[in-house]
Amino acid sequence: MLVLVTYDVNTETAQGKRRLRNVAKACTKYGQRVQQSVFECEITSSQKLELIHELLEIIDSEKDSIRFYNLGSKYSTKVSHYGRQTHHPLDEVLII
Amino acid sequence: MLVLVTYDVNTETAQGKRRLRNVAKACTKYGQRVQQSVFECEITSSQKLELIHELLEIIDSEKDSIRFYNLGSKYSTKVSHYGRQTHHPLDEVLII
């Protein structure tokens, strides 16, 4: 299934900047960066739980937030992109 | 239906910073900000087209990008949030 991961990490401190890098690094193992703080991950439910666990180890829950959106397995018509392309598009995604 | 809007706006210039403000302002008319560059919009298909049109008038397609994700009308189990709360949660969203 496609899981969208979006995050806000407070980067006012050096620790925050490190958390941001580590969140992105962790997400990269599970999927593809499509925008600055947005990853698309084609993963199983158990991989999703692993990712959640890994990210919760990284973030400061008082300062940062992470959202997960399940888009299911048939997602090509659910996703549309406009403007600058910053990644290799998923093969079926509708690019306008 | 719930439409997720995520965007990256290049803010290296004053114009970019203005585009960012205007994108957020436009999205606010259609939905709720849940993270820095992420809005959740409970809208109809025609409202979505309106929003797309409005945003394409604002962004610089060479420098900025916008992605739309359709989550359908039954989305409460599709969305999960961890960490800092920055908005009034949609009544059914699962907060962990």
Side-chain angles (χ1 to χ4, degrees):
Chain A
M1 69 184 168
L2 184 68
V3 175
L4 190 73
V5 185
T6 68
Y7 52 84
D8 266 0
V9 173
N10 182 312
T11 55
E12 285 164 9
T13 63
Q15 294 86 340
K17 290 188 176 75
R18 192 179 319 120
R19 293 198 307 272
L20 182 65
R21 281 194 304 273
N22 291 337
V23 163
K25 217 184 288 178
C27 288
T28 305
K29 292 188 298 185
Y30 293 84
Q32 146 172 277
R33 185 175 227 162
V34 292
Q35 286 177 329
Q36 204 56 33
S37 312
V38 179
F39 275 77
E40 289 180 4
C41 306
E42 180 94 39
I43 50 180
T44 63
S45 302
S46 58
Q47 287 171 319
K48 181 185 171 191
L49 289 176
E50 265 175 52
L51 175 56
I52 291 173
H53 177 74
E54 207 167 322
L55 294 179
L56 290 185
E57 294 282 306
I58 297 170
I59 68 165
D60 177 337
S61 294
E62 301 291 317
K63 296 177 181 169
D64 312 327
S65 75
I66 297 184
R67 293 178 76 83
F68 295 86
Y69 297 90
N70 287 12
L71 286 151
S73 48
K74 297 191 179 72
Y75 51 80
S76 58
T77 57
K78 296 178 183 174
V79 187
S80 48
H81 179 102
Y82 298 82
R84 196 168 74 91
Q85 194 61 254
T86 51
H87 75 295
H88 307 291
L90 296 179
D91 37 14
E92 317 89 349
V93 168
L94 189 65
I95 303 295
I96 312 288
Chain B
M1 71 182 167
L2 184 68
V3 176
L4 190 73
V5 184
T6 69
Y7 52 84
D8 266 1
V9 174
N10 183 313
T11 55
E12 285 165 8
T13 63
Q15 294 87 340
K17 290 188 175 74
R18 192 179 318 121
R19 292 197 308 271
L20 182 65
R21 281 195 303 273
N22 290 339
V23 163
K25 215 183 288 178
C27 289
T28 305
K29 291 188 297 185
Y30 292 85
Q32 152 173 271
R33 185 177 229 161
V34 293
Q35 285 177 330
Q36 202 57 33
S37 312
V38 179
F39 276 78
E40 291 180 4
C41 305
E42 180 93 41
I43 51 179
T44 63
S45 303
S46 58
Q47 286 171 320
K48 181 185 170 189
L49 291 175
E50 265 174 52
L51 175 56
I52 291 173
H53 177 73
E54 207 168 322
L55 293 179
L56 291 185
E57 294 283 312
I58 295 169
I59 68 165
D60 176 337
S61 293
E62 301 291 316
K63 296 177 181 170
D64 311 328
S65 74
I66 297 184
R67 294 179 76 83
F68 294 86
Y69 297 89
N70 286 11
L71 286 151
S73 48
K74 295 192 181 69
Y75 52 82
S76 60
T77 58
K78 297 177 183 174
V79 187
S80 48
H81 178 102
Y82 297 82
R84 196 167 75 89
Q85 195 62 254
T86 50
H87 75 296
H88 306 291
L90 296 178
D91 35 15
E92 318 90 350
V93 168
L94 187 66
I95 304 297
I96 313 281

